[in-house]
Amino acid sequence: GDGGDDDGWDDGTPVNLAGIPIGRQEDGQPWRLPVRGAHVLVAGATGAGKSSVLWATIRGLGPAVRAGLVELWVADPKGGMELAFGRGMFTRFATDTAGIADLL
C-alpha cells in the first residue's frame, strides 16, 4: 500500500471501473459503484449525504486520475461551493449555467 489507512481505497491495485469502492455495506463489505458505461443519479433531501457519495466517488477514482486514465468533468451549480476543493483533480470544472451547458 501507500502507507495510508489501508481501507482498500488506494492500495496500489488498478481501479476497477466496474465497481469502485465508495463506502461499506451493513455487512461490512465494500459498497461498489459501477462507473464504466453507467449513469448515476444521486438524489436526497438536504443533509442526506449526497455530497459524501460524490466525494467518495472522486476519491475512488483518484488513482486512475493520477495515472492519466480517467478525466473528471465536474459541474457544480452551487457556484463551486460543493466541489471547488477538488478543482486540481478536475479536467473540466464549471459552476455557472453557461459553463455547465458547454461542459455537457
Side-chain angles (χ1 to χ4, degrees):
D2 62 356
D5 49 271
D6 198 30
D7 61 5
W9 293 68
D10 189 4
D11 61 2
T13 60
V15 174
N16 180 355
L17 299 178
I20 58 170
I22 64 166
R24 298 238 180 252
Q25 300 179 73
E26 291 175 357
D27 64 1
Q29 294 298 309
W31 174 28
R32 296 187 176 276
L33 179 69
V35 294
R36 182 187 349 209
H39 292 94
V40 178
L41 173 65
V42 179
T46 300
K50 297 176 298 291
S51 66
S52 295
V53 174
L54 292 174
W55 280 111
T57 303
I58 291 167
R59 181 182 184 207
L61 291 169
V65 171
R66 277 192 301 278
L69 301 172
V70 169
E71 290 185 351
L72 297 175
W73 289 24
V74 177
D76 185 349
K78 291 186 175 181
M81 80 178 243
E82 292 285 342
L83 299 167
F85 184 75
R87 178 174 279 163
M89 289 181 65
F90 307 152
T91 300
R92 294 192 58 191
F93 183 59
T95 59
D96 60 24
T97 303
I100 292 170
D102 184 52
L103 183 145
L104 294 173

